């Protein structure tokens, strides 16, 4: 079952209450927040009402909060291949 991945890119500050209400109904409260909703005409209509504020893509599987956070975690930037003591003296 496909899902919409919806991310709030721009804030709704200064926009009409109707726009803020649509974002609230979608579950978007803070910028860069991401939610997953099943593909349906109702959700598509809500997205069209706030299309200037959100980024939308269609994905096959909705991710949990922990799974989504794990995908955003960067690499540590380094890898330890051998312990330092073995690198200096290979006979240990």
């Amino acid at each position: 079952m496909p899902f919409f991945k919806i991310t709030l890119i721009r804030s709704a500050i200064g926009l009409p209450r109707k726009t803020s209400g649509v974002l609230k109904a979608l579950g978007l409260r803070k910028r860069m927040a991401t939610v997953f909703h099943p593909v349906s005409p109702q959700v598509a209509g809500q997205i069209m009402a706030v299309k200037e504020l959100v980024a939308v893509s269609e994905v096959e599987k909705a991710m949990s909060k922990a799974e989504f956070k794990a995908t955003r975690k960067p690499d540590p930037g380094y890898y330890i291949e051998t312990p330092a003591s073995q690198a200096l003296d290979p006979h240990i």
Side-chain angles (χ1 to χ4, degrees):
M1 175 179 196
F3 288 87
F4 285 126
K5 176 183 167 187
I6 309 165
T7 304
L8 181 61
I9 302 297
R10 298 195 55 191
S11 173
I13 293 175
L15 295 177
R17 283 184 185 251
K18 182 178 179 182
T19 303
S20 300
V22 172
L23 291 175
K24 195 173 191 179
L26 285 171
L28 296 168
R29 302 193 192 293
K30 295 183 178 182
R31 283 187 63 235
M32 303 311 292
T34 301
V35 293
F36 293 89
H37 286 286
V39 173
S40 68
Q42 293 81 13
V43 175
Q46 289 177 330
I47 291 169
M48 288 302 292
V50 293
K51 64 182 177 271
E52 298 87 9
L53 307 176
V54 297
V56 181
S57 61
E58 192 172 327
V59 295
E60 284 299 314
K61 178 184 167 223
M63 292 188 212
S64 69
K65 200 172 219 179
E67 290 173 333
F68 191 68
K69 187 175 181 180
T71 62
R72 296 184 63 195
K73 185 175 181 182
D75 288 334
Y78 60 89
Y79 296 98
I80 299 175
E81 294 182 10
T82 59
S85 60
Q86 289 181 0
L88 296 175
D89 190 11
H91 299 293
I92 296 179

